[in-house]
Amino acid sequence: MKWFLAFVMLVTGTGAHAQTATIDWSSLPDLPYRAPPQVSREMHVFAHNEATTRHCRAEKSALGRWRMRVDLAVLVDGAGFVRVVVPRAIDCPTVEQYAAGLASAFAQNNLLPRETAAPQWYRTSLVFVWPQ
């Protein structure tokens, strides 16, 4: 985890005096996708395999399917490129990091133009589902 925090500090330009802060998820605006991400069957299968192998906790939906939701904070720079993706911890690190990578890939060339050139944090989430 230390390497990840060092990476975030490097990318965001925060120095050695950085303070630990929590993310106020509710205050972040939604990531402005041009087209909503489409999670493929293979992506659901990968998340299922990782969750099963690592004994991660999933919740059961009203339709009787298992689901795992990963909330993500995404830093977009002034040019519209994703700089950092931070998953909210769900006690399943491989699925968290997988979702972070997917969010970054889904955002590539798929964000609406922004009105500001300043870097901004956004939120998004990915939901993986699989049968019982």
Side-chain angles (χ1 to χ4, degrees):
M1 187 59 156
K2 288 182 181 178
W3 67 267
F4 181 71
L5 292 175
F7 174 74
V8 170
M9 290 164 68
L10 175 69
V11 171
T12 60
T14 55
H17 301 291
Q19 297 178 352
T20 304
T22 57
I23 297 172
D24 180 4
W25 295 89
S26 64
S27 71
L28 298 177
D30 291 332
L31 190 61
Y33 288 116
R34 285 182 198 273
Q38 300 297 315
V39 180
S40 71
R41 180 182 180 284
E42 291 78 14
M43 294 171 188
H44 290 287
V45 168
F46 179 83
H48 171 253
N49 290 342
E50 289 299 312
T52 302
T53 301
R54 303 192 189 299
H55 306 288
C56 299
R57 189 170 43 97
E59 54 188 45
K60 206 166 197 177
S61 74
L63 300 174
R65 298 172 57 122
W66 292 100
R67 76 190 282 275
M68 184 174 281
R69 176 189 171 116
V70 183
D71 294 323
L72 304 141
V74 180
L75 179 63
V76 178
D77 70 12
F81 295 106
V82 171
R83 305 309 292 171
V84 179
V85 180
V86 180
R88 183 184 288 192
I90 58 169
D91 201 24
C92 194
T94 53
V95 175
E96 294 166 19
Q97 291 304 309
Y98 182 58
L102 288 176
S104 181
F106 287 146
Q108 187 174 8
N109 299 318
N110 188 30
L111 296 179
L112 294 171
R114 299 179 326 121
E115 296 179 13
T116 178
Q120 184 171 351
W121 285 95
Y122 294 93
R123 71 174 172 204
T124 190
S125 62
L126 293 175
V127 178
F128 302 102
V129 294
W130 53 88
Q132 295 182 353

